[in-house]
Amino acid sequence: MPSHARAALIIVGHGSTVNPDSSTPTHQHADTIRQRGVFSEVACCFWKEEPSMREVFESIDSPVIYIVPNFISEGYFCQQVLPRELRLSGPTTLRDGKTIHYCNPVGIHPNMTRLLLQRADEVAPGVPRAETSLIIVGHGTNLNENSTKAIQDQVKLISEGGYGFAEVIDTYMEEAPFVADWHKLTTAPNVVVVPFFIADGLHSFQDIPVLLGMEKETGKALSQMDVFRQNPIEMYGRHLYYSSAIGTERLMAEVILDQVHDFDQKHQVGSGIEDPGSELTQPAALAAWLESGRTVIGQVKITPCGTGYILRHIEDADTDSLTKVSTPEAAREISRVDAAGEFRPIKTAPTLKRGWQLELGSLAELQLALEFFYPAALGMARSQQVGTLKPVPLRELLGRQTGMYRFANGITDEQAGEMIGKCCATATKCLRRIVFPLDATQPLSGPATAKLGNDAGHMEGQTHAIPLLCMEACNHIVSAARKVARANFEEKEVKGSQ
Ligand code: SF4
């Protein structure tokens, strides 16, 4: 595809607050595209992880941005949630001097067919397609008929495309035709099963293996990838080959680029990109902070060394026996789980593990590593410095929630202050300083005031660090608000009935 060397790409994933594997493919596809140098910047953002869809724009310097949803289907998320959270007004949105193009989700691109074929061949190497039934598995639920459609489209494309399979069928976990009936629905001696999901998780690791009959129960701790290493499994007189989720296929990065290419073709996007002007770029801001002695961010200490940088946990400044790593991506692995191996969905939790030393060769590598340690933090600090950061009032955030969270705004002002004081406590929960108000006219009050302010120090006794700012309350606060609002509602109901 032609270069978009002065444009940025944002890949949007769902993410998870409990499953560390959920965001992995999205990050890996971003790594692949970043290494190819097609875009000036490549970033990820998530519905359930950091950075959020509001925060990610702060980390982008480029004047043109392409957004590709790493989702399987069109529908509720891609048509409602994402445009709302990303503040999009159509295929192209002009905002804050930037041109933002919103592409189709990866799962509906015709080239998904190529990935399915490749995955089928990889999982059953040398097995003749003429003696193989290919099953594409989806979740299947009345709530998302688009995901069923995306799978049915692929079944049709492969069946009618002359690819040589004995048969190609769609099955689902929660609606007919059920994947549990695979042995009745297929006739060939070999059966290849490919989950049509963006990431591996409980469905592909546990639920589908149980439905296929490979495992007896979901409760036991499966050693995850082992599920995919048992191929083939002899069942019902057939050879069953089970694949990991299609979204983990490395060629997904190509499909992301295909969606950008298709957007350009369809909307006839030209190359007339304006210069971003004299705005302070993130690399320039980072260099200036380091120059002025701001060499700490969160729990990371940055030490300039020649033309490169050495990063350590702030408590490891004088420790000798550290594990040395040297790629920006290592920062993502380090920050993924805490010292006890627990997933860290909030990257600014004061739980960064110790024992590592990250050696980086350039400012660009440093910027990327810090982006992995603290997503979008540099961008928010830069925007705050130049006066362009637009914090989102808590009431505005809670008021735009839909689905099960639509009642979240039913908390009182007092409850909001207490909830934030408790859920955001610096010592135990989150190092960020809150810069969003309660609403357009009132600041947060009560215990929340301990979290306010954009001063550089976020750890006790720290006064000269690159700030970690919170411009919009995160998912954890929305969930907590929902619980409090629900209790308020139930209390009212009880009183009303007395
Ligand atoms: S809302 Fe609280 S816990 Fe969430 S990111 Fe902001 S400061 Fe941290």
Side-chain angles (χ1 to χ4, degrees):
M1 81 180 271
S3 168
H4 286 72
R6 296 168 73 199
L9 171 69
I10 297 176
I11 309 172
V12 189
H14 189 284
S16 165
T17 54
V18 292
N19 173 16
D21 296 306
S22 174
S23 57
T24 302
T26 305
H27 281 301
Q28 285 172 342
H29 305 325
D31 291 347
T32 302
I33 297 171
R34 193 178 292 117
Q35 280 154 15
R36 286 175 54 173
V38 179
F39 291 89
S40 63
E41 297 166 279
V42 180
C44 301
C45 66
F46 300 93
W47 173 232
K48 292 285 178 190
E49 286 181 47
E50 299 171 20
S52 73
M53 288 181 248
R54 298 286 164 125
E55 293 171 339
V56 71
F57 288 106
E58 305 299 335
S59 66
I60 300 293
D61 287 334
S62 309
V64 174
I65 301 171
Y66 288 84
I67 296 177
V68 179
N70 194 24
F71 281 70
I72 279 299
S73 61
E74 288 178 304
Y76 175 63
F77 266 102
C78 293
Q79 288 171 352
Q80 292 184 44
V81 176
L82 268 55
R84 183 190 76 207
E85 296 299 310
L86 295 160
R87 290 168 291 156
L88 305 177
S89 53
T92 294
T93 303
L94 303 177
R95 193 179 69 227
D96 301 334
K98 298 200 189 272
T99 303
I100 305 164
H101 300 307
Y102 185 51
C103 308
N104 279 328
V106 288
I108 65 167
H109 197 282
N111 284 350
M112 287 298 288
T113 307
R114 199 155 42 100
L115 268 66
L116 284 163
L117 295 172
Q118 164 131 349
R119 181 50 64 90
D121 287 343
E122 275 172 8
V123 78
V127 177
R129 286 182 178 177
E131 295 165 23
T132 303
S133 302
L134 174 61
I135 300 181
I136 307 175
V137 193
H139 190 274
T141 154
N142 295 335
L143 289 175
N144 192 354
E145 62 190 36
N146 285 293
S147 89
T148 312
K149 182 180 179 311
I151 292 173
Q152 286 168 346
D153 287 349
Q154 288 303 326
V155 167
K156 191 163 186 291
L157 282 166
I158 298 174
S159 303
E160 296 175 0
Y163 295 106
F165 286 97
E167 58 202 346
V168 187
I169 63 168
D170 55 316
T171 64
Y172 306 93
M173 294 169 58
E174 293 194 355
E175 67 181 61
F178 291 102
V179 65
D181 293 332
W182 67 272
H183 47 98
K184 297 180 209 156
L185 297 167
T186 55
T187 53
N190 306 297
V191 178
V192 171
V193 180
V194 183
F196 207 65
F197 293 96
I198 282 296
D200 280 320
L202 289 185
H203 291 330
S204 59
F205 285 141
Q206 298 199 5
D207 299 336
I208 297 174
V210 170
L211 292 169
L212 289 169
M214 292 164 57
E215 301 289 338
K216 292 217 167 4
E217 54 186 33
T218 55
K220 72 174 178 170
L222 295 178
S223 57
Q224 308 199 323
M225 286 310 290
D226 280 353
V227 173
F228 309 116
R229 290 200 190 112
Q230 301 168 15
N231 290 321
I233 297 166
E234 308 294 325
M235 292 174 72
Y236 299 101
R238 321 277 195 85
H239 303 300
L240 179 73
Y241 298 84
Y242 182 54
S243 144
S244 53
I246 191 65
T248 61
E249 169 64 50
R250 64 187 169 74
L251 283 176
M252 276 300 263
E254 300 297 327
V255 180
I256 291 169
L257 295 176
D258 289 340
Q259 286 295 28
V260 172
H261 176 261
D262 284 11
F263 184 96
D264 284 347
Q265 297 281 306
K266 184 174 172 193
H267 299 279
Q268 300 189 333
V269 176
S271 58
I273 297 173
E274 299 295 327
D275 275 326
S278 59
E279 190 191 343
L280 180 64
T281 63
Q282 280 186 88
L286 177 57
W289 288 326
L290 296 174
E291 184 71 19
S292 71
R294 291 189 179 224
T295 52
V296 168
I297 178 167
Q299 292 177 287
V300 175
K301 169 76 179 162
I302 307 160
T303 307
C305 179
T307 55
Y309 303 88
I310 293 176
L311 279 61
R312 291 179 171 194
H313 190 289
I314 45 173
E315 289 170 36
D316 281 338
D318 302 318
T319 309
D320 289 331
S321 55
L322 300 174
T323 303
K324 292 187 181 171
V325 282
S326 59
T327 64
E329 291 77 16
R332 193 165 63 220
E333 270 311 297
I334 292 166
S335 62
R336 195 164 176 249
V337 295
D338 63 18
E342 293 294 320
F343 180 43
R344 298 174 70 241
I346 298 182
K347 294 287 175 274
T348 41
T351 55
L352 188 65
K353 68 183 173 195
R354 299 176 51 184
W356 49 270
Q357 172 167 303
L358 178 53
E359 299 172 353
L360 300 168
S362 67
L363 187 70
E365 286 191 358
L366 173 65
Q367 184 188 340
L368 187 54
L370 295 180
E371 197 60 39
F372 291 140
F373 276 123
Y374 297 115
L378 294 179
M380 284 187 276
R382 183 271 314 265
S383 296
Q384 177 78 5
Q385 185 171 314
V386 299
T388 58
L389 191 71
K390 295 197 182 87
V392 181
L394 182 67
R395 289 286 179 207
E396 183 187 320
L397 169 76
L398 297 180
R400 70 168 194 255
Q401 301 303 307
T402 52
M404 64 186 278
Y405 296 104
R406 65 192 181 283
F407 300 118
N409 212 6
I411 55 170
T412 65
D413 294 354
E414 196 186 346
Q415 287 170 332
E418 279 168 14
M419 176 187 72
I420 286 182
K422 189 172 149 204
C423 300
C424 306
T426 303
T428 54
K429 303 286 187 191
C430 181
L431 296 172
R432 296 202 209 195
R433 307 296 302 176
I434 290 178
V435 291
F436 61 81
L438 175 67
D439 59 29
T441 58
Q442 294 182 74
L444 290 162
S445 58
T449 53
K451 290 291 297 181
L452 304 187
N454 56 16
D455 56 314
H458 25 260
M459 303 284 289
E460 201 171 333
Q462 221 176 55
T463 55
H464 210 54
I466 300 168
L468 292 177
L469 303 175
C470 180
M471 59 176 280
E472 180 185 64
C474 66
N475 276 305
H476 303 273
I477 295 303
V478 176
S479 300
R482 175 181 168 265
K483 274 189 204 145
V484 178
R486 190 166 180 87
N488 289 350
F489 178 75
E490 285 169 0
E491 196 181 307
K492 235 188 232 168
E493 292 253 290
V494 171
K495 280 186 184 152
S497 66
Q498 284 170 351

